[in-house]
Amino acid sequence: MRGILVVATLFAFTAIPAAIAANPVRDVLWVALQGCVLAKKAAGRSFPCLAVDLGDGARPGTAVLRAPGHPTHTVVMPTDSVSGIEAPALQGPRGAAYWRAALAARHYVSDALQNRLPVSAVGLEVNSADGRSQDQLHIHLDCMRRSVMAALKVHGGAVGEAWSPFPVPLEEVPYIALRVPADAVADFNPFAALAHVPGWQGHLHDATFAAVEAVPEDPRGGMILLAYREPEASAEYLMDHSCRMAKADRPG
């Protein structure tokens, strides 16, 4: 079995598209992903990924991978080559499908924390083209900063179903915000939603967003999206990969 996995991983290095191979530093995820896909096909195993869904005619394939050295930080990726947030393919059904896959994978973060953090408090995030280190779309999943969740508790009620400025800066950055009603979350496409921000269409390479369910105190519920645009934009700063929020109440 191990031999099959090694062969699959080695073969993945030869399967890199020429455009990506020009900058192998930005292709580590793609190589790992191809190893996962080939191992799934050859041996029914997802390693080194946590899970691999090869998809079918109606559903694109996705994979879930833990970030090396991080017990909670998880990423969800298409099994097809998709560059990132700016990819035109994300404006259609594929964007919504990858969003649903990321929502479904949030439990990997909660499980790693032995359910000290509910799935509803796990955040999703995608970086801009120059704010990311890899050129394969990957949706980050992890804990959100306590300061961000505190801001949502105080100001989340001001977020409506149309993009508008969030009342206060988050990590010193002004964001715009959008509420997705609970009954619309499953069919939502955040990538298409970004393209509907005035002036953003055609400029999504500079965009980044994070999303998390509204705090329990928010009677309107649903999910809150937070986004901004600038060179090297990264809403990942709203995440806390050490998950201090979940560890605050840990005994002993």
Side-chain angles (χ1 to χ4, degrees):
M1 182 74 71
R2 180 177 297 175
I4 293 174
L5 295 177
V6 170
V7 170
T9 302
L10 290 174
F11 182 78
F13 278 90
T14 70
I16 304 171
I20 297 177
N23 191 350
V25 173
R26 294 179 67 89
D27 193 46
V28 174
L29 274 181
W30 177 259
V31 171
L33 172 63
Q34 292 306 297
C36 295
V37 170
L38 291 168
K40 184 73 171 182
K41 291 178 178 178
R45 296 276 300 276
S46 298
F47 182 82
C49 290
L50 297 172
V52 175
D53 177 357
L54 296 175
D56 55 33
R59 187 185 72 258
T62 55
V64 183
L65 181 67
R66 188 84 75 196
H70 291 269
T72 59
H73 185 188
T74 303
V75 295
V76 175
M77 300 170 285
T79 55
D80 292 333
S81 178
V82 180
S83 60
I85 195 167
E86 73 283 4
L90 298 177
Q91 293 297 308
R94 285 193 175 194
Y98 298 141
W99 163 261
R100 283 191 294 272
L103 290 175
R106 290 177 295 169
H107 73 88
Y108 288 106
V109 177
S110 184
D111 292 349
L113 292 163
Q114 300 180 327
N115 297 314
R116 292 192 301 275
L117 184 78
V119 169
S120 61
V122 175
L124 299 79
E125 191 274 339
V126 178
N127 288 319
S128 68
D130 289 335
R132 66 185 185 235
S133 64
Q134 301 293 299
D135 286 325
Q136 172 68 8
L137 174 69
H138 52 290
I139 303 175
H140 297 268
L141 307 176
D142 213 342
C143 302
M144 301 295 285
R145 290 183 181 271
R146 282 181 284 187
S147 60
V148 173
M149 298 308 291
L152 289 176
K153 184 175 181 178
V154 175
H155 301 287
V159 178
E161 295 179 30
W163 287 109
S164 62
F166 192 70
V168 296
L170 298 171
E171 297 302 303
E172 302 182 353
V173 175
Y175 279 79
I176 58 173
L178 173 74
R179 183 185 302 270
V180 184
D183 60 0
V185 168
D187 296 321
F188 184 66
N189 184 342
F191 306 99
L194 291 176
H196 285 90
V197 178
W200 285 29
Q201 189 171 18
H203 301 282
L204 295 186
H205 60 284
D206 284 341
T208 181
F209 77 88
V212 68
E213 287 191 31
V215 297
E217 296 84 358
D218 188 334
R220 299 171 66 184
M223 293 198 76
I224 304 294
L225 262 70
L226 300 161
Y228 77 101
R229 267 190 63 221
E230 66 177 35
E232 301 184 8
S234 174
E236 193 175 350
Y237 290 111
L238 302 185
M239 289 183 153
D240 174 14
H241 294 311
S242 67
C243 283
R244 286 183 290 268
M245 183 173 68
K247 298 173 182 176
D249 298 325
R250 186 174 182 176

